[in-house]
Each structure stands twice: as C-alpha cells, then as structure tokens.
C-alpha cells in the first residue's frame, strides 16, 4: 500500500524495456487498497513502459489527492502518466517526452473526479497518437476541473490528437498551446 508516500528529487531509470508491465512508479492496483495523499515531486523518471502509473480502488472509493509536480519524465514506452479512478489530483509543471511508440499516450486520465488540476505541463509526443486523453474526468459545480497553460506537441506520420476529452463535465480549458504535426487528415486538437 502506498499511503502518504512522498517521492522527492529522485532519479528512477529501470532501463529501456518494452514490456507493458515495467513501471517506474506503480501506485496500486484496482481492488487491493487505496492510495491517498501521494506526492511525486522534482523527480527524473526515465524509460519503462509507464513513467507514473496510478490505478485507484474502484468500489465507489477512489484514490485521493495525488500530486505529480515538477517531474521530468523521459522516454516511457506506452504512457508518461497514467491516472485511473482518482479524486482531486494535481498534475503541475511536469515535462513529459515520450518514446517513439505509435500507440502511446503522454497523459492518460480515466475517471479523475471531484476536480482535477492539470497546469503548466510541457508534453512532447514526437511520433505518436495522443498527447492528452481524458475520459469521464469530472469536476463539480463547486470544484471545477482546470486544464490550463499546458504546451502539447504531437507529431506523427498518421493521425494525431492533441487533447481528447470525452464525457468530461465542469472543466475549464484555458490558455493551452496545442501543436499538431501530421501527414494524415484525421488530425484533431
């Protein structure tokens, strides 16, 4: 169980491997326990399939108050940051540079509820599909979610998507720079 974990100013490099089970930081698995008040700040995270992987407890109780701030995440194969079933998360001022795998996501959020804050991040997805993917990431009327001041670059020979939002309510999207470079007409911001 990772409860009130603080990982600050560390270098984590598990080497280059393309197994989808290579995690630099693994924050738990669905149905086992909750991960509350965890903080990853100022770390250098290299390689692996995932940079940071947080998968909450899905039984009506989500992981709570995860903070990912000021990290450099370099060359994860599949996902830079993976968040699933979490409340009140903050992802701020991180630099994410993805590997060349064409089916990857730099930032993947699924059921991030009760108001997330994704602010001031730099995402470089040089040869892939998704920059940011958010599915059912809802704020509330009193605690709106925020996606602001982020720079997202996605380039590929095929279709690319800079910011994908599906079923995301009470979210404010402000002042982002989304740069897409693709040779296919199926490109969208």
């Amino acid at each position: 169980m990772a409860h009130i974990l603080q990982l600050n100013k560390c270098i984590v490099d598990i080497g280059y491997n393309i197994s989808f089970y290579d995690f630099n930081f693994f924050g738990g698995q669905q149905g086992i326990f909750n991960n509350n008040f965890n903080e990853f700040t100022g770390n250098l995270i290299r390689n692996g399939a995932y940079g940071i992987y947080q998968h909450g407890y899905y039984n009506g109780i989500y992981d709570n108050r995860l903070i990912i701030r000021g990290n450099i995440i370099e060359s994860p194969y599949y996902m830079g940051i993976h968040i699933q079933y979490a409340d009140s998360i903050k992802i701020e001022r991180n630099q994410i540079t993805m590997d060349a795998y064409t089916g990857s996501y730099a930032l993947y959020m699924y059921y991030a509820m009760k108001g997330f804050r994704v602010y001031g991040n730099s995402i470089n997805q040089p040869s892939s599909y998704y920059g940011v993917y958010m599915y059912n990431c809802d704020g509330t009327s009193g605690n709106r979610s925020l996606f602001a001041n982020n720079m997202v670059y996605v380039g590929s020979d095929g279709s690319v998507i800079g910011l994908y939002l599906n079923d995301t309510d009470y979210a404010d999207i402000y002042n982002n720079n989304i740069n897409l470079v693709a040779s296919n007409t199926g490109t969208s911001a």
Side-chain angles (χ1 to χ4, degrees):
M1 175 156 93
H3 189 70
I4 312 178
L5 169 70
Q6 293 183 341
L7 196 63
N8 186 21
K9 297 183 181 175
C10 294
I11 297 173
V12 180
D13 186 343
I14 63 171
Y16 186 77
N17 195 331
I18 58 172
S19 167
F20 285 98
Y21 301 103
D22 291 334
F23 305 101
N24 278 317
F25 294 125
F26 180 71
Q29 181 61 38
Q30 175 180 347
I32 298 173
F33 50 78
N34 279 99
N35 298 285
N36 295 319
F37 308 103
N38 293 339
E39 295 183 17
F40 301 99
T41 57
N43 300 291
L44 173 58
I45 304 163
R46 290 185 183 135
N47 302 313
Y50 298 81
I52 296 174
Y53 182 95
Q54 182 86 13
H55 192 297
Y57 181 65
Y58 182 64
N59 191 13
I61 303 170
Y62 291 5
D63 289 356
N64 195 358
R65 301 196 193 282
L66 170 68
I67 297 173
I68 301 171
R69 180 181 293 135
N71 299 286
I72 297 171
I73 301 172
E74 294 178 346
S75 299
Y77 181 71
Y78 186 51
M79 291 188 188
I81 298 174
H82 172 280
I83 304 295
Q84 194 161 342
Y85 303 118
D87 287 344
S88 307
I89 62 169
K90 293 181 181 178
I91 301 173
E92 301 171 336
R93 298 185 304 278
N94 299 286
Q95 296 175 22
I96 304 170
T97 302
M98 295 300 292
D99 195 299
Y101 177 60
T102 58
S104 63
Y105 303 77
L107 174 58
Y108 178 93
M109 294 169 49
Y110 185 82
Y111 285 85
M113 308 300 278
K114 295 185 182 175
F116 64 80
R117 179 179 163 93
V118 177
Y119 182 87
N121 298 285
S122 175
I123 294 172
N124 183 6
Q125 180 74 300
S127 59
S128 193
Y129 192 51
Y130 282 100
V132 178
Y133 178 96
M134 294 183 192
Y135 181 83
N136 204 355
C137 297
D138 295 335
T140 65
S141 60
N143 188 22
R144 296 181 65 85
S145 294
L146 177 66
F147 186 87
N149 296 333
N150 299 287
M151 297 188 67
V152 179
Y153 169 83
V154 184
S156 176
D157 291 336
S159 299
V160 297
I161 298 172
L163 174 60
Y164 176 84
L165 298 169
N166 188 338
D167 200 19
T168 297
D169 300 322
Y170 297 105
D172 298 322
I173 314 294
Y174 297 124
N175 303 322
N176 297 287
N177 182 342
I178 300 174
N179 185 6
L180 306 176
V181 177
S183 60
N184 193 319
T185 57
T187 299
S188 61

